[in-house]
Amino acid sequence: MSFSKRFKELREKKGLSQEAIAEKLKIPRSSVTHYENSDDRVPRQKRLNEIADFFGVSVDYLIGRSDTEELTIKEEHFLQDIDKLSIEELKEKHVLTIDGKPATKEEIEATIAFIRSLRSLK
């Protein structure tokens, strides 16, 4: 399934209009329309992460690479460990990669800061 179909399906499942989802994601309504009507338009990684977090699904599910809506057990454990472990402990316990390359300490810190800011909005 394409991102456009999956995005629309998730929006409708939550009972949200295009306008309502745009407001919640803090994006223009026109972006929502483009996302839903264009099979070749996929948001950038940062926005994909925000959308996946909003719907409580993995990015792989959102873009159609997986039919499993839920986060994997490894992903769940990582999210739980964010609040308990230091950056060094996270790097030791979890294999953290970005685009197939090991994540740097700075990238991990930025990712954790991003996740914490998202959590504070909920």
Side-chain angles (χ1 to χ4, degrees):
M1 182 179 288
S2 68
F3 168 78
S4 62
K5 289 179 177 64
R6 184 91 6 115
F7 180 81
K8 184 175 183 177
E9 175 185 89
L10 289 167
R11 176 183 63 77
E12 289 176 342
K13 195 172 172 182
K14 278 204 175 266
L16 297 171
S17 65
Q18 285 187 345
E19 191 171 297
I21 191 73
E23 190 175 303
K24 289 188 179 292
L25 294 173
K26 296 179 176 57
I27 60 175
R29 184 180 177 280
S30 60
S31 291
V32 172
T33 301
H34 285 123
Y35 292 163
E36 291 187 2
N37 294 322
S38 175
D39 280 339
D40 60 348
R41 178 153 181 187
V42 177
R44 292 193 174 139
Q45 189 65 46
K46 181 180 176 194
R47 178 72 64 210
L48 279 173
N49 292 340
E50 292 169 351
I51 294 169
D53 288 344
F54 175 79
F55 287 119
V57 299
S58 69
V59 171
D60 280 347
Y61 178 79
L62 189 60
I63 62 175
R65 284 199 308 200
S66 169
D67 289 329
T68 305
E69 204 172 313
E70 299 83 25
L71 296 174
T72 67
I73 291 171
K74 287 181 182 179
E75 292 165 335
E76 286 287 343
H77 287 165
F78 175 73
L79 291 174
Q80 291 168 359
D81 286 345
I82 282 176
D83 295 326
K84 299 181 217 168
L85 302 177
S86 70
I87 302 295
E88 290 78 20
E89 291 170 320
L90 283 170
K91 280 187 80 168
E92 286 177 23
K93 185 172 180 182
H94 300 279
V95 177
L96 304 171
T97 60
I98 298 173
D99 298 327
K101 298 176 188 170
T104 66
K105 182 178 179 181
E106 292 79 20
E107 290 169 332
I108 295 169
E109 288 171 346
T111 301
I112 291 170
F114 175 74
I115 291 169
R116 286 181 176 152
S117 70
L118 280 176
R119 288 179 176 176
S120 71
L121 295 174
K122 291 183 180 179

